[in-house]
Amino acid sequence: MPSFHTTHRVRHGASEMFELVADIESYPRFVPLCRAMRVRRRDENNGRLTLIADMEVGYKAIRETFTSRVTCERSEYKILVEYIDGPFKHLENRWNFHDRDKGKTCLVEFRIDYEFKSRALGLIMGGVFDAAFRKFAEAFEHRADIVYGNAP
């Protein structure tokens, strides 16, 4: 099963990065391959935000939509994305944010594991997905610089 994991230090605090990643409706503006995002359901209880969302991804003429449950744990600066339905056999990704330098910077951990249901789609899109996941950390860091300013 393909997977990707990275830990990256950014010039923004864990709270800022958590809020940026939790704002999934903004993804089509800057996330590689994301063409559209629709939140079907939003529940918030005791600092835990749970979203059910449809994400449309695309590359050239290929477009696929999948549904996920996104659980955002504010108190722990953790986000879990669990696959519900779509072209994958399995998809799960996790974000963890750890403050450094008294909250001036943070470590962003990103991990994703996935497998397409269709071998053919996996062969066509697998390399594109791998390349996109490697650019995710950069995309979120660049977006944070735009939203929060280019911190020293």
Side-chain angles (χ1 to χ4, degrees):
M1 177 179 345
S3 67
F4 177 75
H5 178 255
T6 184
T7 301
H8 190 72
R9 189 176 200 134
V10 298
R11 298 175 304 245
H12 304 280
S15 176
E16 291 177 329
M17 293 306 296
F18 173 89
E19 293 300 330
L20 190 92
V21 174
D23 181 17
I24 65 172
E25 287 110 334
S26 295
Y27 285 15
R29 294 185 210 145
F30 69 97
V31 172
L33 303 180
C34 182
R35 300 293 174 241
M37 180 70 78
R38 182 175 67 93
V39 174
R40 289 187 192 185
R41 192 171 81 218
R42 177 187 307 268
D43 297 312
E44 191 154 4
N45 192 4
N46 295 328
R48 174 189 278 182
L49 174 65
T50 303
L51 306 165
I52 303 297
D54 297 327
M55 180 183 217
E56 180 185 316
V57 295
Y59 179 73
K60 297 187 179 182
I62 299 172
R63 302 259 183 198
E64 292 287 341
T65 300
F66 63 94
T67 305
S68 296
R69 176 183 304 105
V70 181
T71 306
C72 306
E73 293 279 351
R74 253 186 203 90
S75 63
E76 298 179 27
Y77 297 136
K78 293 182 179 183
I79 297 174
L80 171 64
V81 180
E82 299 168 288
Y83 178 70
I84 296 174
D85 189 39
F88 296 96
K89 186 177 193 178
H90 169 82
L91 177 113
E92 180 179 288
N93 73 287
R94 295 176 182 272
W95 294 87
N96 294 300
F97 309 92
H98 308 280
D99 269 326
R100 297 292 186 261
D101 305 320
K102 297 179 184 175
K104 294 178 184 174
T105 66
C106 78
L107 288 178
V108 177
E109 290 181 75
F110 172 75
R111 173 176 209 87
I112 189 161
D113 303 301
Y114 69 96
E115 184 177 358
F116 288 100
K117 284 180 189 173
S118 159
R119 183 165 155 68
L121 186 60
L123 290 171
I124 293 168
M125 292 295 290
V128 173
F129 267 64
D130 284 345
F133 294 144
R134 294 183 193 293
K135 293 180 182 178
F136 267 33
E138 283 178 31
F140 280 92
E141 183 175 4
H142 180 70
R143 179 72 176 166
D145 288 345
I146 291 168
V147 172
Y148 302 121
N150 206 0

